[in-house]
Amino acid sequence: MSLLRRSADRVTVDEAHRRTQGPDAVAVLLDVREQVEWRAGHAPGAVHAPLSRLTAGVALPGAARARPLVVICRSGHRSRQAAALLAARGADAVDVTGGMRAWAAAGHPVVDERGNNGSTA
């Protein structure tokens, strides 16, 4: 069975930002890109859990457990797979349409591993 057959809800980057950023955040932004992509740039406060590890059965990081998840990747393809996988495991998960490319294009912040301005490339 393909992971894409079980659909998960999708949200825009603006909705993702609203749900996951600031003191009133109700969800965790879960970045499922690989380590090199994460290091180059990610949303502040995001939690990193590469899709390759999730599909291998590795548990979510503690900060993402038992919380609503807004799942993001570079363009939206891997996050859609991850959100479906996590939803099948019982998580409250949605994915972000357009991924980090759309996040950055909308003017939302991107930081590198040192907290400096990052890139989504």
Side-chain angles (χ1 to χ4, degrees):
M1 178 174 152
S2 168
L3 292 177
L4 293 178
R5 288 191 189 147
R6 180 180 173 104
S7 70
D9 290 333
R10 305 192 88 191
V11 297
T12 66
V13 292
D14 291 332
E15 179 63 15
H17 186 268
R18 187 187 69 71
R19 290 185 188 190
T20 64
Q21 302 295 298
D24 297 327
V26 296
V28 171
L29 187 63
L30 186 71
D31 191 319
V32 297
R33 296 174 300 149
E34 294 303 317
Q35 186 68 34
V36 67
E37 296 169 288
W38 169 263
R39 276 191 231 122
H42 54 272
V47 173
H48 188 223
L51 177 60
S52 59
R53 292 179 53 89
L54 294 174
T55 58
V58 174
L60 284 170
R65 292 183 193 151
R67 302 260 328 264
L69 303 171
V70 177
V71 186
I72 197 164
C73 66
R74 185 182 63 191
S75 64
H77 180 73
R78 286 174 287 177
S79 62
R80 192 168 190 179
Q81 291 178 30
L85 174 71
L86 293 165
R89 292 180 183 168
D92 177 3
V94 298
D95 84 290
V96 180
T97 303
M100 285 301 297
R101 287 181 173 169
W103 178 276
H108 300 306
V110 177
V111 296
D112 67 13
E113 63 182 333
R114 293 186 181 103
N116 300 317
N117 286 333
S119 132
T120 59

